Every structure is written in structure tokens, then in C-alpha cells.
Amino acid sequence: MGRMRAEAALHGEAPIRVLIVDDSEDDAYLLRTELARRGLVVDCRRVDSALDMAAALAGQDWDLILSDHDMPGFDALAALDVLKRSGQDIPFIIHSGQIADRDAVSAMYDGVDDYICKGDYERLVPVIEREMRGLRARRAVRHADTRIQQLAYFDGLSALPNHHLFCNKVGDAIREHRERGRVPAGAVLVVDLDRFLRINASFGYEAGNDLLRQVGQRLRAGLGPEVVLARLGGDEFGVFLPGVNDRGSVEMLARWIVKSFDEPLLKDRVELFLTASVGIAMIPSDGEAVLDLLMNAETALGQVKRAGGNDLRFYERTMNAASAERLAMEADLRHAVERGELLIEYQPVISARHLRPVGAEALVRWLHPRLGRLPPDRFIPLADETGLIAELGAWVLCEAARQARAWLDAGHERVRVSVNVSAVQFSQPRLLEVVADALRRSALPPACLVLEITETSLMADVESAAGMLRALKNMGVQVAVDDFGTGYSSLSYLKRLPIDIIKIDKSFVRELCENDDDAAIVRAIIALAGSLRLATIAEGVESAGQAEVLRLAGCDFLQGFHFSRPTPAAQLVL
């Protein structure tokens, strides 16, 4: 409520809350009167000691602090120290006639925002307006920062932790046990709603979403505070019970989850009955890596589903059919390049101003001899884990560079090709050699190659990332931050990294025309990029309305199904 009121004050809808630090009640009254006479509506409170000021900062929200300098036992620098200890971002202005210019300049180096002589209201008013504009901009960035963190770590539908945060919490708990010299213990449960698609088919997606929210609330209300509950995606929920090694206790919890669905869920006063299946993986017997635990719990869950659902099952090592299939896929992937089973499709990148293609993103596909056409999310993680990504990534880079050279030779002078670089590739010094080799073989000008690197990869080790990016920039290639806003919670690192382009993640674009918060986030990202002289690409554009909102917001480039699905190079129109 306090932040909403402060934002309203910044827009002139409410008084500016001013904390006056002054030992004279008459001076404070005169200040309030003179500001009001000049059109500033203020709500003031006067304090004259460190104790009273600290209490005022703790008890209310303030937009501005105006401090006298020379007071009995208290001065402006002591007041500034009280503000710093509070940790709050509030403009601090010295309004005094008892401070030398030299001391005032020194105070501004220490953090004071400005110094105005008492009575000089003609100068004070524009300074207040300037500081309020700056405060509004900083709060807008913080709001965007918070929103990005929510999108990165929390599920927008249920408000529960998402898959990423769930994995972090499980991994942190396991590491903490190891660091204390203890054997990790706990259980990971995957809860899946049985035949949930029939709800969407019968009542619509909005009804389904409402029921998912109810399920999340019911589970959260019945689980203890030490239990981590997350929505992993779709109709799947994750439960982490830390510290337990007793299968009986875990089974009791899992049976409560199954039993909790005996009570109906309500939709428009209609009772709807659901059942749930639960797969369980124990720590450490079923693994100590988060993804292994989830995979094993999913394997056990599959056994429950095949048996009809509405039950629970612990993982057993005999449930390894999926693992065998995965090993077979790894073996096939090792020969995919030499057998010519990989192909690249290109999705055009469109100039928002001219609505013409200016380049394309290269997207690899695998024509598996047995499983058919596979998208990258089916085999790139496997390639990363097994080390095959080095060969696969080098092939994609060379093919994309060769194709871009062909487009240049055909007369498309300004075309650029974008290639995704996985986290594993980016962490390997050999990437520089691979990029240089692709440019040399294709004779492609380096400026025509854009390397897309996920935000998570960059932030895993900022200093190392900065060094790799500088080396790539020295080669002349361009660098784009892919999936911006989903992998890290702070925008401040952008200015430390030598990048050229920000790709706004499709999760922000999806509801751009319906969700004011997402629209505000997108505008904030575009404005931030502009201030850092970075270009912006919005991915996942699927409608003319989204494209128009992005164009008006100043986005430079657009990409998505609205313009073209990924297509073979021969069919791409540039």
C-alpha cells in the first residue's frame, strides 16, 4: 500500500510525503506554506533528533527528506547517516543557511543529493521536482526488477515456486547437508492430476486454470512450512520433503496428497472430482542430483499412471526403460552429423520500423531415423550433458555462416544470422576457435554473425562471461542476451557485459496486449536497453496487436510465428 501511495504521489495524485529534519517548528511551517504556494502539495512531518528520524523512517513511507544542517546535537550529516542505516532510497536535500559551500560540496560527495540555502524557494522547487522524477524512474526499474524475478522464479498461475526455484531449493538443501559433513536425506515427489485434459476439454482452459489454483492452495494449506511445494508445469506439482530418510513418513505424506482429492473442487458451484498420482524418489538412494531425482520420480509416476492412477509409487531401479531409451538416443546422436540427419531451419528477424526481414535465427532439427523429426529441446540437453554439444555446435555455426554468406552473395547486403550458444559451449574456451573457424571457412564478415547466449549462462560467472564476451567482440561478432528476464533478478549487470542486443523473452510478449504489468515490463526493458545503446528483439510475436505495441514502445526487431515459422533456407524470403 505504501509503495502504491508513493507512486501516486510521483504522478501528482497524492501529496508528496516530506520528512523535515529541523529544530525549528516555525521554519518547518514556513517551508510547507511556501511549497504549497508554489503548487507543490506536500504532507510533512518534522523531526529534530536521530531517534525520532529513525522511528519516522521505520513507521512510514517518505518521498523526500529536507534537512537543516546546524541543529543542537544533530546535523545534516548525522541525519544522512540515519537514512543510510535505514537502507531506504529517499532523496536527501540539505535546506540550510548554516553550512559553508565547501562543507556542502563534501556532503554531496557523501551522498547528499543537493544543497539549497534556506529561503531560496525558486531553486528548491525545481530541485524537488527533479529528485521526484529520478525517484520515480528508480522505483519503476525496481518494480520491473521485482516483476522479472517473479516471472523467473514463481509460477504466474498459482503463485507457487516454479520448476527453476524448486530445483534450486532441492539442490541447496543437498549441498548444505554435504557441507556439514552429513549424508543428504529427503524425498522428491511429483504429483500429477489424472486425466486433467478432460477438464479443459469440457469446461475450457479458464476453468482448468481455476482448478489448478485451487489444487495449489489445498496442497499448500495441508503441507507443513518445511515442505517445498512448486508447480512444475501443466498439471504437475513438485513436493520436496527435506531431511527425512524414513520411507514410512514419506508414504504417509504421499497418501495424504492422494486422499486430499477425495473432497471435490468447485467451479461455479459445480462439484468437480479429480484424482492424483504421485511418484517418489528418495535422497540419496535414488540420486543426489536434482534432475536425476525428478526424472526418477517421473519414472515412478509413469508406473502409477499406466496402472490407472490415483495412487503412489516409489522409484525402483528396475524402472529403467526410459534410461535405456535415453542411452540409445545418445548413441544415435553421436552419429547424427556424419549421417546427415541434422538440418537447420531459419526464422526471420523483422525490422520493427520497416517490417522487412534483416536476418534470421538458425534453429537445428534432428531427423531421427526411428523417432522422426525432433525439436532441439529433445536432444540439445542430452548433447550438453554428454559433451556432444561441441561437435554439434561447431556444425551448426559452420552451416549457418555458410548460408549467411550465400545470402550476401545473392545481394542481401545487411543480412545477419543468429546462432544459439548453449551454456556448456559458452563455458569452453574452444568456442573462440570454433567461431573463428566458421567465419574463416565461410568468408562471412564477423558483423553478420550474432551469437545468442542465455542470461543464465552469462550470470553463472559474470567475470568469466565478461572475458569471453570481450574476446568475441574483439573478433567483430555481435552478442545477444537470449531469454532476457527469465534467468536473473537484477538488471545492473548489463552495463558490465559487452553485449549488443537484448532478446525480450516470449513470456513477456505472450500476454502483452492483455496484461498491463507485462506491457510495463517490456517498455521498461526497451527503455533500459535504449539508455545503454543496446538493440532489442522481441521473440514470440504471434499477432499484429503484439507487433504494434512493441513497435510503438520502440522495440527494434521482431520475431515470431506472426511473421514466419522456422523454414528451410531455400523457402525463406529475405
Side-chain angles (χ1 to χ4, degrees):
M1 180 65 71
R3 187 177 67 186
M4 293 174 61
R5 192 219 56 75
E7 291 297 323
L10 293 176
H11 290 88
E13 300 170 3
I16 301 172
R17 292 188 65 86
V18 180
L19 183 60
I20 300 175
V21 185
D22 201 314
D23 61 334
S24 171
E25 182 66 44
D26 291 341
D27 285 356
Y29 175 80
L30 178 62
L31 173 61
R32 183 188 305 112
T33 303
E34 289 295 332
L35 291 179
R37 195 165 67 84
R38 287 164 172 79
L40 289 183
V41 181
V42 296
D43 184 1
C44 299
R45 176 179 172 185
R46 184 185 69 86
V47 295
D48 58 8
S49 69
L51 186 62
D52 288 347
M53 181 178 175
L57 290 172
Q60 298 182 52
D61 293 320
W62 300 98
D63 302 319
L64 186 70
I65 295 176
L66 294 175
S67 177
D68 193 6
H69 177 62
D70 191 10
M71 297 170 284
F74 195 47
D75 62 15
L77 296 182
L80 178 64
D81 189 55
V82 173
L83 173 62
K84 287 181 177 180
R85 289 200 302 270
S86 76
Q88 299 183 47
D89 177 17
I90 305 174
F92 188 101
I93 299 172
I94 295 179
H95 182 232
S96 175
Q98 300 295 325
I99 181 172
D101 289 344
R102 185 174 183 178
D103 292 337
V105 171
S106 176
M108 291 177 70
Y109 276 110
D110 197 38
V112 170
D113 292 286
D114 213 328
Y115 160 64
I116 310 294
C117 288
K118 266 193 177 180
D120 189 356
Y121 300 105
E122 298 304 321
R123 182 163 177 259
L124 178 60
V125 169
V127 167
I128 291 176
E129 292 174 340
R130 180 197 69 200
E131 293 301 324
M132 294 299 287
R133 286 193 299 271
L135 180 64
R136 177 172 58 191
R138 294 194 299 276
R139 283 176 174 168
V141 169
R142 283 198 297 271
H143 178 68
D145 209 35
T146 300
R147 174 63 175 156
I148 288 172
Q149 185 176 27
Q150 290 173 341
L151 290 171
Y153 294 108
F154 290 88
D155 173 54
L157 178 65
S158 65
L160 294 172
N162 62 12
H163 186 283
H164 183 67
L165 183 55
F166 182 79
C167 291
N168 283 351
K169 287 181 175 292
V170 176
D172 289 346
I174 292 173
R175 280 191 295 274
E176 183 179 350
H177 275 80
R178 288 186 188 133
E179 290 169 359
R180 293 182 178 181
R182 292 155 47 188
V183 176
V188 170
L189 293 75
V190 176
V191 181
D192 184 89
L193 305 184
D194 298 327
R195 295 172 291 278
F196 187 73
L197 288 178
R198 63 187 176 135
I199 297 294
N200 289 333
S202 301
F203 298 95
Y205 284 100
E206 185 53 44
N209 288 342
D210 184 44
L211 292 181
L212 288 172
R213 280 189 286 266
Q214 291 186 48
V215 169
Q217 292 165 4
R218 179 176 294 185
L219 292 177
R220 180 69 279 167
L223 295 172
E226 76 284 358
V227 178
V228 178
L229 173 66
R231 181 173 177 237
L232 302 180
D235 59 351
E236 265 192 2
F237 294 82
V239 177
F240 172 49
L241 185 59
V244 299
N245 51 23
D246 175 24
R247 288 170 67 102
S249 299
V250 178
E251 182 174 353
M252 186 180 300
L253 176 71
R255 292 213 176 276
W256 174 85
I257 291 174
V258 174
K259 189 72 174 173
S260 70
F261 287 88
D262 288 350
E263 291 295 320
L265 299 164
L266 294 178
K267 177 57 182 173
D268 297 331
R269 299 184 180 179
V270 176
E271 291 186 344
L272 298 175
F273 289 87
L274 295 175
T275 60
S277 300
V278 181
I280 309 165
M282 296 293 294
I283 305 170
S285 59
D286 298 331
E288 295 186 27
V290 180
L291 295 182
D292 287 343
L293 290 163
L294 280 172
M295 182 180 69
N296 291 338
E298 290 270 10
T299 299
L301 175 67
Q303 297 279 329
V304 180
K305 302 287 271 189
R306 283 190 287 274
N310 194 27
D311 202 353
L312 62 93
R313 189 161 297 184
F314 285 85
Y315 171 75
E316 299 173 4
R317 294 188 180 275
T318 54
M319 304 174 181
N320 283 327
S323 298
E325 176 64 33
R326 192 166 176 271
L327 289 173
M329 182 176 286
E330 177 186 340
D332 292 341
L333 187 57
R334 291 185 180 277
H335 302 288
V337 172
E338 64 188 60
R339 291 172 180 169
E341 295 170 358
L342 298 179
L343 61 88
I344 298 179
E345 293 182 334
Y346 296 88
Q347 186 173 43
V349 176
I350 307 297
S351 166
R353 177 179 297 180
H354 304 104
L355 294 181
R356 292 199 305 266
V358 293
E361 179 180 356
L363 301 166
V364 64
R365 306 288 190 256
W366 183 10
L367 297 179
H368 192 279
R370 181 168 48 85
L371 301 176
R373 179 189 177 92
L374 299 179
D377 59 0
R378 287 285 304 275
F379 60 90
I380 292 297
L382 179 61
D384 274 338
E385 183 178 335
T386 57
L388 297 173
I389 193 64
E391 180 185 1
L392 192 153
W395 180 84
V396 172
L397 263 172
C398 285
E399 285 298 304
R402 182 192 58 76
Q403 180 58 59
R405 178 73 255 182
W407 283 328
L408 288 177
D409 293 341
H412 303 291
E413 298 180 357
R414 299 184 179 181
V415 71
R416 295 184 302 187
V417 65
S418 302
V419 178
N420 291 283
V421 175
S422 77
V424 174
Q425 282 178 283
F426 187 67
S427 66
Q428 297 176 344
R430 184 172 177 266
L431 176 63
L432 298 174
E433 178 186 338
V434 170
V435 172
D437 185 59
L439 293 173
R440 178 182 56 79
R441 290 189 180 193
S442 63
L444 181 70
C448 295
L449 177 62
V450 180
L451 299 181
E452 296 191 3
I453 303 164
T454 64
E455 188 179 10
T456 305
S457 302
L458 294 176
M459 298 310 169
D461 184 345
V462 175
E463 296 305 324
S464 297
M468 175 63 81
L469 292 180
R470 280 192 292 269
L472 291 170
K473 293 287 292 178
N474 289 338
M475 295 173 64
V477 304
Q478 294 196 311
V479 176
V481 180
D482 197 11
D483 299 338
F484 180 79
T486 63
Y488 204 72
S489 59
S490 175
L491 306 175
S492 61
Y493 284 96
L494 283 180
K495 63 183 180 182
R496 298 177 54 188
L497 299 175
I499 59 179
D500 305 283
I501 302 166
I502 287 176
K503 291 198 75 173
I504 303 171
D505 188 69
K506 59 186 177 184
S507 64
F508 296 95
V509 177
R510 185 178 300 117
E511 297 182 9
L512 184 62
C513 298
E514 295 82 24
N515 189 311
D516 291 341
D517 286 344
D518 284 349
I521 295 277
V522 168
R523 286 194 294 269
I525 292 174
I526 293 171
L528 177 68
S531 68
L532 296 174
R533 295 184 294 279
L534 304 177
T536 49
I537 300 176
E539 56 184 350
V541 180
E542 297 185 356
S543 70
Q546 292 171 348
E548 181 63 11
V549 171
L550 289 163
R551 186 187 67 81
L552 293 176
C555 188
D556 299 298
F557 305 103
L558 310 172
Q559 183 180 346
F561 289 172
H562 174 64
F563 302 101
S564 173
R565 290 180 176 272
T567 184
Q571 300 174 20
L572 189 67
V573 178
L574 291 177

PDB file of all heavy atoms in Angstrom, residues 245-255 282 314:
ATOM      1  N   ASN A 245      14.525 -39.663   6.082  1.00  0.00           N
ATOM      2  CA  ASN A 245      15.034 -40.890   5.460  1.00  0.00           C
ATOM      3  C   ASN A 245      14.139 -42.080   5.764  1.00  0.00           C
ATOM      4  O   ASN A 245      14.501 -43.216   5.467  1.00  0.00           O
ATOM      5  CB  ASN A 245      16.474 -41.169   5.910  1.00  0.00           C
ATOM      6  CG  ASN A 245      16.613 -41.133   7.426  1.00  0.00           C
ATOM      7  OD1 ASN A 245      15.632 -41.330   8.150  1.00  0.00           O
ATOM      8  ND2 ASN A 245      17.825 -40.878   7.896  1.00  0.00           N
ATOM      9  N   ASP A 246      12.994 -41.807   6.341  1.00  0.00           N
ATOM     10  CA  ASP A 246      12.038 -42.848   6.688  1.00  0.00           C
ATOM     11  C   ASP A 246      10.968 -42.937   5.611  1.00  0.00           C
ATOM     12  O   ASP A 246      10.162 -42.033   5.429  1.00  0.00           O
ATOM     13  CB  ASP A 246      11.407 -42.508   8.045  1.00  0.00           C
ATOM     14  CG  ASP A 246      10.298 -43.483   8.422  1.00  0.00           C
ATOM     15  OD1 ASP A 246      10.315 -44.622   7.915  1.00  0.00           O
ATOM     16  OD2 ASP A 246       9.405 -43.088   9.199  1.00  0.00           O
ATOM     17  N   ARG A 247      10.978 -44.029   4.852  1.00  0.00           N
ATOM     18  CA  ARG A 247      10.009 -44.188   3.770  1.00  0.00           C
ATOM     19  C   ARG A 247       8.576 -44.190   4.295  1.00  0.00           C
ATOM     20  O   ARG A 247       7.650 -43.764   3.601  1.00  0.00           O
ATOM     21  CB  ARG A 247      10.282 -45.494   3.013  1.00  0.00           C
ATOM     22  CG  ARG A 247      11.540 -45.444   2.149  1.00  0.00           C
ATOM     23  CD  ARG A 247      11.885 -46.828   1.619  1.00  0.00           C
ATOM     24  NE  ARG A 247      10.908 -47.330   0.666  1.00  0.00           N
ATOM     25  CZ  ARG A 247      11.081 -47.334  -0.660  1.00  0.00           C
ATOM     26  NH1 ARG A 247      12.202 -46.851  -1.176  1.00  0.00           N
ATOM     27  NH2 ARG A 247      10.169 -47.836  -1.458  1.00  0.00           N
ATOM     28  N   GLY A 248       8.376 -44.631   5.523  1.00  0.00           N
ATOM     29  CA  GLY A 248       7.037 -44.647   6.089  1.00  0.00           C
ATOM     30  C   GLY A 248       6.466 -43.251   6.225  1.00  0.00           C
ATOM     31  O   GLY A 248       5.282 -43.004   5.919  1.00  0.00           O
ATOM     32  N   SER A 249       7.293 -42.302   6.682  1.00  0.00           N
ATOM     33  CA  SER A 249       6.833 -40.920   6.816  1.00  0.00           C
ATOM     34  C   SER A 249       6.528 -40.315   5.453  1.00  0.00           C
ATOM     35  O   SER A 249       5.542 -39.584   5.293  1.00  0.00           O
ATOM     36  CB  SER A 249       7.903 -40.085   7.527  1.00  0.00           C
ATOM     37  OG  SER A 249       8.149 -40.577   8.824  1.00  0.00           O
ATOM     38  N   VAL A 250       7.373 -40.627   4.468  1.00  0.00           N
ATOM     39  CA  VAL A 250       7.146 -40.111   3.124  1.00  0.00           C
ATOM     40  C   VAL A 250       5.865 -40.695   2.533  1.00  0.00           C
ATOM     41  O   VAL A 250       5.065 -39.996   1.913  1.00  0.00           O
ATOM     42  CB  VAL A 250       8.360 -40.417   2.214  1.00  0.00           C
ATOM     43  CG1 VAL A 250       8.090 -39.929   0.799  1.00  0.00           C
ATOM     44  CG2 VAL A 250       9.625 -39.765   2.775  1.00  0.00           C
ATOM     45  N   GLU A 251       5.660 -41.987   2.747  1.00  0.00           N
ATOM     46  CA  GLU A 251       4.447 -42.615   2.223  1.00  0.00           C
ATOM     47  C   GLU A 251       3.201 -42.020   2.872  1.00  0.00           C
ATOM     48  O   GLU A 251       2.175 -41.824   2.212  1.00  0.00           O
ATOM     49  CB  GLU A 251       4.487 -44.122   2.452  1.00  0.00           C
ATOM     50  CG  GLU A 251       3.257 -44.829   1.888  1.00  0.00           C
ATOM     51  CD  GLU A 251       3.339 -46.339   1.979  1.00  0.00           C
ATOM     52  OE1 GLU A 251       4.421 -46.855   2.354  1.00  0.00           O
ATOM     53  OE2 GLU A 251       2.330 -47.007   1.667  1.00  0.00           O
ATOM     54  N   MET A 252       3.276 -41.711   4.165  1.00  0.00           N
ATOM     55  CA  MET A 252       2.137 -41.108   4.846  1.00  0.00           C
ATOM     56  C   MET A 252       1.785 -39.760   4.206  1.00  0.00           C
ATOM     57  O   MET A 252       0.614 -39.446   3.987  1.00  0.00           O
ATOM     58  CB  MET A 252       2.469 -40.919   6.329  1.00  0.00           C
ATOM     59  CG  MET A 252       1.290 -40.430   7.172  1.00  0.00           C
ATOM     60  SD  MET A 252       1.751 -40.233   8.911  1.00  0.00           S
ATOM     61  CE  MET A 252       2.242 -41.911   9.311  1.00  0.00           C
ATOM     62  N   LEU A 253       2.826 -38.969   3.912  1.00  0.00           N
ATOM     63  CA  LEU A 253       2.583 -37.679   3.268  1.00  0.00           C
ATOM     64  C   LEU A 253       1.989 -37.873   1.874  1.00  0.00           C
ATOM     65  O   LEU A 253       1.031 -37.189   1.487  1.00  0.00           O
ATOM     66  CB  LEU A 253       3.900 -36.901   3.169  1.00  0.00           C
ATOM     67  CG  LEU A 253       3.815 -35.564   2.419  1.00  0.00           C
ATOM     68  CD1 LEU A 253       3.044 -34.546   3.237  1.00  0.00           C
ATOM     69  CD2 LEU A 253       5.205 -35.032   2.088  1.00  0.00           C
ATOM     70  N   ALA A 254       2.545 -38.811   1.110  1.00  0.00           N
ATOM     71  CA  ALA A 254       2.045 -39.041  -0.247  1.00  0.00           C
ATOM     72  C   ALA A 254       0.605 -39.532  -0.221  1.00  0.00           C
ATOM     73  O   ALA A 254      -0.214 -39.144  -1.065  1.00  0.00           O
ATOM     74  CB  ALA A 254       2.947 -40.055  -0.964  1.00  0.00           C
ATOM     75  N   ARG A 255       0.260 -40.377   0.756  1.00  0.00           N
ATOM     76  CA  ARG A 255      -1.123 -40.855   0.835  1.00  0.00           C
ATOM     77  C   ARG A 255      -2.072 -39.726   1.219  1.00  0.00           C
ATOM     78  O   ARG A 255      -3.224 -39.694   0.774  1.00  0.00           O
ATOM     79  CB  ARG A 255      -1.227 -42.011   1.824  1.00  0.00           C
ATOM     80  CG  ARG A 255      -0.527 -43.257   1.341  1.00  0.00           C
ATOM     81  CD  ARG A 255      -1.200 -44.535   1.780  1.00  0.00           C
ATOM     82  NE  ARG A 255      -0.519 -45.699   1.195  1.00  0.00           N
ATOM     83  CZ  ARG A 255      -0.757 -46.164  -0.018  1.00  0.00           C
ATOM     84  NH1 ARG A 255      -1.658 -45.581  -0.792  1.00  0.00           N
ATOM     85  NH2 ARG A 255      -0.094 -47.223  -0.482  1.00  0.00           N
ATOM     86  N   MET A 282      13.709 -41.040  -3.421  1.00  0.00           N
ATOM     87  CA  MET A 282      14.335 -40.806  -2.119  1.00  0.00           C
ATOM     88  C   MET A 282      15.780 -40.347  -2.283  1.00  0.00           C
ATOM     89  O   MET A 282      16.489 -40.796  -3.182  1.00  0.00           O
ATOM     90  CB  MET A 282      14.294 -42.085  -1.281  1.00  0.00           C
ATOM     91  CG  MET A 282      12.899 -42.578  -0.918  1.00  0.00           C
ATOM     92  SD  MET A 282      12.016 -41.462   0.208  1.00  0.00           S
ATOM     93  CE  MET A 282      13.035 -41.593   1.689  1.00  0.00           C
ATOM     94  N   PHE A 314       6.996 -45.607  -5.160  1.00  0.00           N
ATOM     95  CA  PHE A 314       8.395 -45.225  -5.002  1.00  0.00           C
ATOM     96  C   PHE A 314       9.185 -45.694  -6.221  1.00  0.00           C
ATOM     97  O   PHE A 314       8.879 -46.733  -6.822  1.00  0.00           O
ATOM     98  CB  PHE A 314       8.994 -45.861  -3.745  1.00  0.00           C
ATOM     99  CG  PHE A 314       8.547 -45.221  -2.460  1.00  0.00           C
ATOM    100  CD1 PHE A 314       7.358 -45.611  -1.861  1.00  0.00           C
ATOM    101  CD2 PHE A 314       9.305 -44.232  -1.857  1.00  0.00           C
ATOM    102  CE1 PHE A 314       6.941 -45.043  -0.674  1.00  0.00           C
ATOM    103  CE2 PHE A 314       8.902 -43.648  -0.676  1.00  0.00           C
ATOM    104  CZ  PHE A 314       7.716 -44.049  -0.081  1.00  0.00           C
TER     105      PHE A 314
END
